[in-house]
């Protein structure tokens, strides 16, 4: 039975190779059938970055009071002022190693009106979304400390205040007990970043709501810890892989001398400027979306892409979910001139870390591409990263978006979970889910995406795996850590991400992802 199936797969490969050799190189290896035809949007005129350049306003904060802590003002900010239009806001500072212990609040004025919002809090703990320690992306000299970005919508006025935390301590003295107040100094170089993501893409290229995929009933129980994966790897896992090269950002605002770091051998053949090239094994060059496939079509694509890497068991029973529809970087309007040119790959995908962007929930699904463009610009221009940190993003309607460039089917190294970016992928749900429950569509989007992407690498969504820590505040460098194949960000780093409400839904996402794989 197995040998018959292998023989069939070899015949399929020979046929596929013949088609590939006679077709244009830009065509996909597996053409979708009539039941999964490529939507008309893939043939639409590509949305060039010139049509939506976006912009960043960077404003230094000033003291708001005379109180000083360690020589620095205890409260900084900006009074109300008119600014150029923006939709996303954040605060950055000089050193990524310095934490901001304080409260950051912003209020904004809706564009073209006299209406000001109330004060909104910005999530300050964002250092855990980052490249791994000692990698060139982390040590480039361009990386800054930063809050999470906050989506505020189209605005042209802003006011911000940053106040240091004050801790009251009881001390015993010879005269008795007294209370002292300890105030944490604010980081140096505080700046307000106002991001204009650029205009919306033409209507034909906006992402429609995700089509239903048989959403199962929600499980209100706290997360399922996951069954043991019979194929779990031995704890002696491989090293995180070669470090990525430091590549000069051609649009960096503050030029910094480049570190003389050797080329990453994993990425020798990946120095391509146009990110859409990386997906041409799936769709034509310049496609704005990667269409969904049926389970059978997805299995055939798996054999085409990874036949030589599959075991006989995987060939006989390929546990992989149907490929979901994915909006490409071209589809959400990424300006490819912002990021560094090279693509950096890790060895494989053994786990998926789920995040929230902590950017607020005041967006519509039609605005999701703008939110992503804003986060992309904030990660690269304001925070100094090589590209957007997440491998994929999911909106509240369940639409899935390509994140960091390099190809959705490839093991692209992200900057999402400090210490565990090797051999993993990062999936971020747009929004804040500390007190707000994620939509069923968003949780289902996580399940559909992980069923497919983890299936490409033979991973069981309900299983366990081992990852080697590159260093962080939860696990020391070099420690082999046993994790759920679908984990929350907080499982690899001491953080509140992905928010308590989303974290409680990971058991549902694991079960549904495994079901989509046919387990």
């Amino acid at each position: 039975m197995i040998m018959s199936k292998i023989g069939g797969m070899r015949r399929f490969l020979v046929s596929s190779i013949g088609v590939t050799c006679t077709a244009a190189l830009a065509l996909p290896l597996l053409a979708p059938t009539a039941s999964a035809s490529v939507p008309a949007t893939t043939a639409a005129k590509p949305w060039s970055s010139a049509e939506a350049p976006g912009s960043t306003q960077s404003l230094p904060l000033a003291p708001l009071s005379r109180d000083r802590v360690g020589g620095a003002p205890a409260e900084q900010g900006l009074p109300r002022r008119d600014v150029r239009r923006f939709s996303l806001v954040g605060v950055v500072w000089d050193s990524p190693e310095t934490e901001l212990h304080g409260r950051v609040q912003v209020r904004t004025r809706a564009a073209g009106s006299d209406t000001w919002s109330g004060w909104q809090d910005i999530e300050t703990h964002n250092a855990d979304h980052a490249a791994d320690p000692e990698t060139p992306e982390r040590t480039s000299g361009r990386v800054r400390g930063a809050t999470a970005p906050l989506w505020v919508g189209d605005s042209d006025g802003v006011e911000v205040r940053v106040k240091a935390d004050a801790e009251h301590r009881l001390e015993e003295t010879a005269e008795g007990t007294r209370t002292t107040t300890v105030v944490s100094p604010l980081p140096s170089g505080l700046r307000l970043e106002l991001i204009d993501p650029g205009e919306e893409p033409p209507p034909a290229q906006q992402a429609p709501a995700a089509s239903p995929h048989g959403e199962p009933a929600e499980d209100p129980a706290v997360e399922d810890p996951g069954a043991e994966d019979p194929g779990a790897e031995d704890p002696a896992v491989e090293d995180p892989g070669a470090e990525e090269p430091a590549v000069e950002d051609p649009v960096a605002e503050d030029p910094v001398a480049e570190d003389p770091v050797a080329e990453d051998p994993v990425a020798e053949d990946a120095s391509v400027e146009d990110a859409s090239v990386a997906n041409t094994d799936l769709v034509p060059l310049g496609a704005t979306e990667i269409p969904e496939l049926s389970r059978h079509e997805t299995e055939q694509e798996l054999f085409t892409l990874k036949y030589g890497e599959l075991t006989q068991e995987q060939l006989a029973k390929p546990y992989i979910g149907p490929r979901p529809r994915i909006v490409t970087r071209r589809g959400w309007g990424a300006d490819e001139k912002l990021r560094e040119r090279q693509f950096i790959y890790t060895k494989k995908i053994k786990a998926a870390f789920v995040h929230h962007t902590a950017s607020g929930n005041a967006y519509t699904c039609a605005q999701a591409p703008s939110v992503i463009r804003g986060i992309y610009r904030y990660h690269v221009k304001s925070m100094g990263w090589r590209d957007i940190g997440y491998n994929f993003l999911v909106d509240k309607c369940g639409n899935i978006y390509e994140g960091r460039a390099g190809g959705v089917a490839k093991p692209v190294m992200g900057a999402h979970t400090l210490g565990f970016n090797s051999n993993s992928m990062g999936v971020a749900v747009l929004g804040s889910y500390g007190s707000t429950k994620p939509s069923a569509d968003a949780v289902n989007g996580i399940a559909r995406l992980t069923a497919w992407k983890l299936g490409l690498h033979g991973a069981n969504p309900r299983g366990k795996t081992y990852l080697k820590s590159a260093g962080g505040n939860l696990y020391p460098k070099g420690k082999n850590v046993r994790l759920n194949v679908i984990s929350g960000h907080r499982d690899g780093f001491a953080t509140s991400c992905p928010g308590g409400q989303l974290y409680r839904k990971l058991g549902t996402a694991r079960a549904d992802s495994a079901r989509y794989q046919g387990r």
Side-chain angles (χ1 to χ4, degrees):
M1 174 72 178
I2 292 175
M3 294 306 297
S4 173
K5 184 133 188 177
I6 294 173
M9 291 310 100
R10 286 173 176 164
R11 286 192 295 274
F12 172 79
L13 278 174
V14 171
S15 174
S16 297
I17 293 170
V19 171
T20 303
C21 291
T22 57
L25 291 177
L27 293 178
L29 290 176
L30 180 65
T33 64
S35 64
S37 58
V38 180
T41 53
T42 60
K45 175 181 176 292
W47 179 38
S48 70
S49 58
E51 295 173 300
S55 64
T56 301
Q57 302 173 69
S58 186
L59 308 174
L61 302 192
L64 294 181
S65 72
R66 295 183 177 181
D67 296 334
R68 316 282 295 183
V69 179
E75 186 173 6
Q76 298 185 44
L78 292 174
R80 286 190 183 188
R81 64 169 60 190
D82 297 337
V83 292
R84 297 195 309 273
R85 292 170 83 133
F86 67 98
S87 295
L88 185 136
V89 59
V91 171
V92 302
W93 53 91
D94 292 340
S95 173
E97 311 304 328
T98 303
E99 295 184 7
L100 193 161
H101 296 285
R103 188 176 189 183
V104 179
Q105 293 182 300
V106 65
R107 58 189 309 187
T108 57
R109 184 183 62 206
S113 77
D114 295 324
T115 304
W116 284 81
S117 71
W119 287 104
Q120 301 182 74
D121 286 295
I122 299 179
E123 173 61 57
T124 59
H125 302 294
N126 195 43
D128 45 351
H129 300 75
D132 287 342
E134 301 178 12
T135 60
E137 182 172 7
R138 178 75 176 186
T139 60
S140 66
R142 296 189 298 269
V143 180
R144 302 179 181 92
T147 67
L150 178 68
W151 177 261
V152 295
D154 192 12
S155 306
D156 60 10
V158 69
E159 182 178 7
V160 65
R161 60 191 186 193
V162 181
K163 188 171 184 178
D165 280 342
E167 180 183 355
H168 302 290
R169 299 176 181 174
L170 294 178
E171 293 184 353
E172 297 292 339
T173 67
E175 293 77 21
T177 302
R178 69 177 182 181
T179 302
T180 60
T181 301
V182 179
V183 181
S184 302
L186 294 174
S188 62
L190 287 169
R191 303 182 70 88
L192 177 66
E193 302 288 293
L194 303 176
I195 312 297
D196 172 18
E199 297 298 322
E200 289 292 330
Q205 296 186 26
Q206 286 184 0
S211 58
H213 289 265
E215 167 70 3
E218 290 270 6
D219 180 4
V222 176
E223 71 162 321
D224 176 7
E228 289 293 325
D229 182 356
E233 298 191 29
D234 186 271
V237 295
E238 66 271 12
D239 290 335
E243 292 184 346
E244 60 189 86
V247 182
E248 184 177 357
D249 181 355
V251 293
E253 295 179 354
D254 302 316
V256 178
E258 184 176 77
D259 291 337
V261 180
E263 290 289 317
D264 182 351
V266 179
E268 285 179 353
D269 60 348
S271 182
V272 183
E273 185 167 8
D274 188 349
S276 59
V277 171
N279 288 320
T280 52
D281 51 355
L282 305 180
V283 291
L285 178 66
T288 57
E289 68 176 51
I290 297 169
E292 61 183 331
L293 297 181
S294 68
R295 180 184 296 278
H296 174 71
E297 292 163 341
T298 305
E299 289 180 358
Q300 298 306 303
E301 181 179 76
L302 171 66
F303 296 138
T304 304
L305 295 175
K306 302 179 76 69
Y307 180 81
E309 304 172 32
L310 302 179
T311 65
Q312 289 190 348
E313 181 180 356
Q314 289 172 310
L315 289 168
K317 184 66 173 178
Y319 289 109
I320 184 170
R323 187 180 76 188
R325 172 182 172 273
I326 302 173
V327 179
T328 65
R329 291 172 64 91
R330 177 67 62 90
W332 56 260
D335 182 351
E336 301 299 351
K337 297 191 300 295
L338 293 182
R339 65 173 180 85
E340 293 186 0
R341 289 185 59 185
Q342 289 183 314
F343 307 145
I344 303 301
Y345 298 106
T346 185
K347 294 180 180 179
K348 62 185 300 186
I349 302 299
K350 298 168 62 178
F353 286 98
V354 177
H355 305 254
H356 67 168
T357 57
S359 50
N361 303 312
Y363 73 93
T364 65
C365 293
Q367 292 175 318
S370 288
V371 178
I372 296 170
R373 292 197 305 277
I375 294 173
Y376 171 45
R377 178 173 279 275
Y378 186 68
H379 281 183
V380 177
K381 297 291 290 182
S382 301
M383 297 179 64
W385 295 357
R386 61 180 296 116
D387 194 351
I388 192 169
Y390 310 113
N391 297 104
F392 296 93
L393 301 101
V394 179
D395 68 22
K396 63 178 70 173
C397 291
N399 296 301
I400 300 168
Y401 303 84
E402 177 184 14
R404 180 163 286 208
V408 297
K410 298 179 177 65
V412 178
M413 179 179 282
H416 48 84
T417 306
L418 181 64
F420 291 100
N421 290 305
S422 289
N423 300 326
S424 72
M425 60 185 274
V427 183
V429 180
L430 295 178
S432 302
Y433 299 102
S435 58
T436 301
K437 292 182 179 180
S439 68
D441 287 336
V443 177
N444 192 40
I446 296 170
R448 291 184 292 114
L449 171 63
T450 53
W452 171 71
K453 186 62 182 281
L454 292 173
L456 286 173
H457 296 269
N460 180 355
R462 297 194 69 167
K464 304 278 188 178
T465 191
Y466 283 89
L467 293 178
K468 180 180 289 186
S469 172
N473 67 356
L474 199 55
Y475 298 105
K477 180 179 180 180
K479 181 176 178 60
N480 291 318
V481 182
R482 190 167 182 264
L483 295 161
N484 286 311
V485 168
I486 297 180
S487 286
H489 185 181
R490 64 178 62 180
D491 296 323
F493 196 95
T495 175
S496 62
C497 184
Q501 295 295 331
L502 178 53
Y503 190 76
R504 280 192 281 271
K505 291 296 183 182
L506 295 189
T508 299
R510 293 185 190 107
D512 292 347
S513 181
R515 178 174 63 80
Y516 284 129
Q517 285 191 350
R519 295 182 185 270

